[in-house]
Structure formats: structure tokens, C-alpha cells
């Protein structure tokens, strides 16, 4: 079968989708390429815009690289388009040769302990979406607790802990939305407790994230000497891994600090396995109950049977992200991913039960491999998926209406108020101008309708 052009749809305009488009356009191939990038949000960049804390400008520098890819002008963007509602899999087959899903993972992974349903128990992903100004979450957040627990020992747990403990005025130079600043400003929090079931040498923090915690103004870092009685495996980890060495060095420095003068405290509890979120008798969070663990001599931990309890009024579960199913696309409910072989989406034959390739459908990023790894992993993911896409040329779809204009006509006929790259530039400039008026990097526009109106030049 001879092909001279690939019309490709990519669903998801975060780093995974943009990298996939860029890698395909730069790859060796014997056919032309036309790529349309779809996203349910009016603005691109996915979790880089809506999943990274606003006081992390270095990480947000990734946006600069992504913008350079989009600004070349060889990738079309359709924002504010919901897959499964505004555009279906059958629509894609009608207009494209193939689709890559790069929809990421934005839900909180489940934590199976009693009490997670109590008032005052929150998912970290929801909280991050709120303080990042995601248009599809409520504008308010109930910051009423003086003592808060954060469950998890990864970077998201640190982001959540830092935003809770940090004084709101210290966030003003960032792009924090105005409604978020005003609510954080009223927070009565005095103590944030972070719980991880393993020891200090087994955390998933990056050194940079951890070090930033110690730089918070008027916040004491509290660590506990009992957590630093290392076994041989822990000593080996410090000696043999540069990242663990740096993390240990930071924590050891905190052990020597004078504390007691700050108005807020951030406690790190290691060897602490959460067992239950204890109710206060009124249906709300009242305490966190945990078991003290101990090293097992092989880098893991075992329970000691010692049960402790700390009074709190709110708890944030930062135990990982989880993917969401897409209409008409296979989904692995256990792992929260689209089942695939190196990016080639798999479906299960109803008659035989055997897995087989679902031709024309691919995946990349967190929806492909789960929510682990950094940007480098996302690029290698995309390279693997694109290699298969190119090699599968003989199994692409045969669209009835592959012209670039036909997709625009379809969306317009359905009344979809889609946004494009020029629209993102308008919104971007508008947010920066709002920030400039207040001496800030930018002020995010939060309501979806307002984002769309600005992007479409309707205001």
C-alpha cells in the first residue's frame, strides 16, 4: 500500500503530545505529515501549566521549549475540544490515518485506608488543580485546618506541603491566581505533617524540591532523630547514590537547626505507615493514626506494631496520579493506562481473549506507561511510539475526508468554540499584561468561558 501523506490526530496537548508531534516531524520518513493537536482545555501544556506549583519557575521553563515547537507553525492546535463529546473515535477515523492519545494522568490514585471519605480528606491532585487555576475545578477551597497531614513521599507531596506552609505573600511574585492567593492568605495553618512509610534514604523527592522546603520564610523544618538510625542498606544507599547523598545531607543539616521561633512548622515523619484517618465524631477528620515501621535490612520496611496518633483537621493524599478511561478506547482499570505494546494500543479479542493490536490507535506519556518518570522519559516514550507509527504504515486507517478543512467544518457545524495557537498567544499576552500591572509574572485567567472568549478575540 502506497502512502504519500499521514494525517495524524494527537489527543492531549501536554509535553507528551507535543514531543510526539515534534519527533514525528523531525523523523526520517518517505511521506508527508499533517498533525492536529486536540486538548479539552483552551490552553496547551497540560500538567506543566496545571500540575506544577506556581513557585517553580525553573520547571515551568519547560514551557519555553514546548512553545518553540508549537510556534514553528507546522502543528495545528484545537483547544477546548472534548474527546468523546465534541469529537469521537469514529470522527477521527473519518478524517485521519491514525491517532495518538497523550492524555496523561490527572486523577488521584486511591488510598485504601479507613476514613478517606471523611470531610477534610482531600486528593492532592484536586488541590494542585485548584492552586494552579484549573478551569474545571471550584474557585474556592476550604482551608480551615490548623494542623494538616500530607500522605506521601514524592514531589507532589512536597508541592502540597510547601503551598500549605508557605506564607501567601511569598507567592505573589509567581503566577498564582488571585482567588487562590486570597484564600491562602486567610489560612489558619500552623503545622503541616508529612508521612512516609519508608526511611529518609528511600524517599521519592528530588534534592531540589527538598532543599526548597528549607528556604521557606518563617517556617521551621522539623525532623526527628529516631528516623536517622540507619541500617547497612541505608548507609549503602547514601554512599552509592548521589541523589540520596544530597537528600541525606539536607536532612542532616535540618537536624542541627534551631527551631521554635517560626509561626509555622513543617514536620517530616519517616517510618510512618498511615493506618486510618480518624473521625472527630462529627464526620470530619480528627486525627491520623499510623504504625511505626522499621528497616527490614534489605532496603524495605516492616511494621513494628507501635501505633501512634496525631490530631489533625485535614489530610491530603499524595500517593500518585491515575489515568482516566476514554470513550471507545481500551483501558486497564488496575494500572490506569491504555493497554499497549510500546505505544501500539492493544484490545482483547472477544472470541479468544487474546490481545491484539488496535490498528491506527497509539498512546504515549503517562497514559501509556503510568505516572512515573520525568520529561526525559516522556521524550523516549514518544520516540518509541512514533517508530511504531511509522512502521505500521500499511495498517493506517483510510479516512473518507482527510482534508485539513474538513475537521474545522465538523467542529464548527457542532458549535464547538475551539481555540487555536493564535488564540493561545492572545490569552498568554493577556495573562502577562494582567501580571505586569501588579508587578507579577502573570495572573492566570481561571474561568473557562473567559479563557475561550479571550482566545477567540470575542472580548
Amino acid at each position: 500500500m502506497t502512502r504519500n501523506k499521514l494525517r495524524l490526530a494527537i489527543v492531549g496537548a501536554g509535553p507528551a503530545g507535543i514531543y510526539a508531534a515534534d519527533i514525528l516531524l523531525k523523523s526520517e520518513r518517505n511521506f508527508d505529515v499533517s498533525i492536529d493537536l486536540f486538548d479539552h482545555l483552551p490552553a496547551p501544556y497540560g500538567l506543566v501549566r496545571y500540575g506544577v506549583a506556581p513557585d517553580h519557575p525553573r520547571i515551568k521553563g519547560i514551557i519555553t521549549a514546548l512553545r518553540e515547537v508549537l510556534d514553528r507553525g507546522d502543528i495545528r492546535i484545537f483547544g477546548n475540544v472534548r474527546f468523546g463529546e465534541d469529537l469521537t473515535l469514529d470522527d477521527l477515523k473519518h478524517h485521519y490515518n491514525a491517532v495518538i492519545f497523550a492524555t496523561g494522568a490527572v486523577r488521584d490514585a486511591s488510598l485504601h485506608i479507613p476514613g478517606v471519605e471523611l470531610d477534610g480528606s482531600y486528593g492532592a491532585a484536586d488541590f494542585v488543580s485548584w492552586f494552579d487555576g484549573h478551569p474545571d475545578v471550584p474557585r474556592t477551597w476550604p482551608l480551615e485546618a490548623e494542623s494538616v497531614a500530607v500522605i506521601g513521599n514524592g514531589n507532589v507531596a512536597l508541592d502540597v506541603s510547601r503551598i500549605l506552609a508557605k506564607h501567601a505573600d511569598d507567592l505573589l511574585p509567581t503566577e498564582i491566581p488571585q482567588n487562590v492567593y486570597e484564600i491562602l492568605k486567610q489560612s489558619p495553618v500552623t503545622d503541616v505533617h508529612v508521612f512516609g512509610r519508608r526511611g529518609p534514604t528511600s524517599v521519592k523527592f528530588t534534592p531540589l524540591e527538598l532543599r526548597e522546603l528549607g528556604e521557606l520564610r518563617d517556617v521551621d523544618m522539623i525532623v526527628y532523630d529516631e528516623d536517622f538510625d540507619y541500617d547497612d542498606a541505608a548507609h549503602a544507599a547514601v554512599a552509592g547514590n548521589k541523589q540520596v547523598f544530597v537528600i541525606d545531607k539536607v536532612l542532616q543539616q535540618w537536624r542541627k537547626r534551631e527551631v521554635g521561633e517560626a509561626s509555622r512548622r513543617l514536620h517530616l515523619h519517616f517510618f510512618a505507615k498511615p493506618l486510618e484517618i480518624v473521625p472527630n465524631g462529627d464526620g470530619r477528620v480528627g486525627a491520623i493514626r499510623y504504625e511505626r515501621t522499621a528497616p527490614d535490612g534489605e532496603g524495605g520496611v516492616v511494621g513494628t506494631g507501635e501505633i501512634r496518633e496525631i490530631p489533625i483537621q485535614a489530610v491530603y493524599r499524595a500517593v500518585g496520579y491515575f489515568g482516566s478511561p476514554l470513550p471507545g478506547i481500551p483501558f486497564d482499570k488496575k494500572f490506569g493506562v491504555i493497554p499497549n505494546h510500546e505505544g501500539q494500543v492493544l484490545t482483547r479479542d472477544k472470541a479468544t481473549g487474546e490481545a491484539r493490536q488496535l490498528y491506527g490507535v497509539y498512546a504515549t506519556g503517562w497514559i501509556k506507561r503510568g505516572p512515573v518518570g520525568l520529561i526525559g522519559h516522556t521524550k523516549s516514550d514518544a520516540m518509541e511510539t512514533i517508530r511504531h507509527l511509522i512502521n505500521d504504515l500499511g495498517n493506517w486507517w483510510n479516512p473518507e475526508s482527510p482534508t485539513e478543512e474538513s475537521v474545522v467544518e465538523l467542529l464548527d457545524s457542532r458549535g464547538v468554540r475551539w481555540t487555536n495557537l493564535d488564540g493561545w498567544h492572545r490569552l498568554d499576552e493577556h495573562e502577562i499584561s494582567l501580571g505586569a500591572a501588579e508587578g507579577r509574572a502573570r495572573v492566570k485567567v481561571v474561568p473557562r468561558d473567559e479563557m475561550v472568549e479571550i482566545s477567540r478575540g470575542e472580548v
Side-chain angles (χ1 to χ4, degrees):
M1 186 180 297
T2 302
R3 305 278 191 181
N4 57 15
K5 187 169 186 177
L6 166 63
R7 283 280 289 134
L8 176 66
I10 298 178
V11 179
I18 294 173
Y19 286 140
D22 187 41
I23 288 167
L24 176 59
L25 288 166
K26 292 177 178 177
S27 64
E28 291 188 18
R29 47 190 163 74
N30 57 2
F31 50 83
D32 293 331
V33 173
S34 172
I35 301 175
D36 289 344
L37 200 60
F38 295 93
D39 202 281
H40 72 289
L41 293 168
Y45 309 138
L47 278 183
V48 182
R49 177 173 166 95
Y50 290 115
V52 177
D55 55 349
H56 271 180
R58 288 181 294 275
I59 296 177
K60 286 187 176 290
I62 297 166
I63 285 180
T64 302
L66 298 176
R67 177 166 185 155
E68 289 175 357
V69 174
L70 296 182
D71 283 356
R72 289 199 313 255
D74 49 7
I75 303 167
R76 292 198 304 179
I77 296 182
F78 293 86
N80 201 41
V81 178
R82 293 176 173 87
F83 177 77
E85 298 179 31
D86 302 322
L87 199 65
T88 67
L89 185 62
D90 285 341
D91 293 329
L92 295 179
K93 289 180 178 179
H94 191 77
H95 296 284
Y96 297 91
N97 299 106
V99 59
I100 299 176
F101 287 98
T103 49
V106 298
R107 290 189 295 164
D108 283 288
S110 298
L111 177 65
H112 299 290
I113 62 173
V116 292
E117 76 289 344
L118 293 170
D119 283 347
S121 172
Y122 309 109
D126 292 335
F127 185 55
V128 172
S129 292
W130 172 73
F131 68 60
D132 267 334
H134 194 293
D136 297 338
V137 301
R139 301 292 303 277
T140 60
W141 192 273
L143 290 178
E144 301 160 351
E146 293 183 2
S147 186
V148 179
V150 178
I151 299 174
N153 263 180
N155 283 342
V156 174
L158 290 195
D159 276 351
V160 169
S161 303
R162 193 179 63 256
I163 294 297
L164 287 169
K166 195 169 188 173
H167 290 275
D169 285 350
D170 294 337
L171 288 165
L172 273 178
T174 75
E175 57 185 57
I176 187 169
Q178 188 65 28
N179 64 300
V180 175
Y181 163 75
E182 290 169 359
I183 292 173
L184 286 173
K185 180 75 173 174
Q186 302 303 316
S187 172
V189 69
T190 58
D191 291 85
V192 178
H193 298 268
V194 185
F195 295 89
R197 64 186 181 89
R198 294 177 180 266
T201 61
S202 299
V203 297
K204 302 299 182 183
F205 314 141
T206 53
L208 176 62
E209 292 261 359
L210 186 65
R211 192 179 291 116
E212 286 177 344
L213 277 188
E215 298 170 358
L216 299 182
R217 179 182 65 85
D218 192 34
V219 178
D220 277 341
M221 295 304 304
I222 311 293
V223 292
Y224 298 87
D225 288 340
E226 64 179 348
D227 291 337
F228 294 88
D229 185 15
Y230 289 171
D231 64 355
D232 290 343
H235 285 298
V238 173
N241 184 302
K242 184 177 180 181
Q243 181 161 304
V244 175
F245 173 82
V246 175
I247 287 172
D248 177 66
K249 184 178 180 180
V250 172
L251 293 172
Q252 298 292 352
Q253 289 171 346
W254 290 351
R255 293 179 69 189
K256 302 171 186 175
R257 280 189 182 182
E258 293 284 338
V259 296
E261 297 296 322
S263 67
R264 295 179 176 181
R265 290 159 294 280
L266 207 163
H267 309 253
L268 297 182
H269 301 273
F270 301 106
F271 297 114
K273 177 184 177 181
L275 297 177
E276 181 182 1
I277 303 170
V278 183
N280 67 351
D282 195 26
R284 295 190 56 81
V285 171
I288 184 165
R289 184 173 295 148
Y290 65 96
E291 180 181 16
R292 180 79 179 161
T293 63
D296 64 2
E298 299 178 359
V301 293
V302 293
T304 66
E306 180 185 350
I307 310 300
R308 300 181 182 179
E309 194 170 293
I310 294 178
I312 54 168
Q313 299 86 49
V315 61
Y316 292 78
R317 310 178 303 276
V319 294
Y321 285 90
F322 202 76
S324 300
L326 297 160
I329 307 300
F331 185 71
D332 186 322
K333 295 180 180 179
K334 181 178 179 180
F335 296 103
V337 298
I338 295 175
N340 69 93
H341 169 70
E342 297 181 347
Q344 297 170 308
V345 172
L346 302 176
T347 187
R348 198 158 292 281
D349 189 285
K350 292 182 180 179
T352 65
E354 295 181 358
R356 59 176 175 80
Q357 185 178 348
L358 186 61
Y359 292 125
V361 184
Y362 300 83
T364 192
W366 280 4
I367 198 64
K368 168 187 173 184
R369 60 183 160 86
V372 292
L374 304 174
I375 290 296
H377 296 89
T378 303
K379 288 183 177 180
S380 59
D381 249 2
M383 292 177 68
E384 182 179 70
T385 297
I386 293 301
R387 185 178 73 249
H388 282 296
L389 170 67
I390 292 172
N391 292 337
D392 288 345
L393 177 148
N395 293 315
W396 293 347
W397 299 328
N398 290 304
E400 295 179 24
S401 183
T403 66
E404 295 188 354
E405 296 79 13
S406 64
V407 179
V408 175
E409 292 168 359
L410 175 69
L411 294 175
D412 286 344
S413 71
R414 293 177 175 172
V416 180
R417 300 176 69 230
W418 54 275
T419 62
N420 59 15
L421 184 60
D422 288 340
W424 161 239
H425 288 161
R426 277 192 285 270
L427 179 61
D428 186 41
E429 291 165 4
H430 180 80
E431 291 181 341
I432 291 172
S433 68
L434 291 177
E438 301 180 21
R440 301 170 58 186
R442 79 167 63 225
V443 173
K444 273 184 183 172
V445 175
V446 178
R448 179 184 284 265
D449 287 347
E450 188 177 344
M451 292 176 70
V452 172
E453 289 169 359
I454 293 166
S455 297
R456 292 172 61 89
E458 298 172 353
V459 292

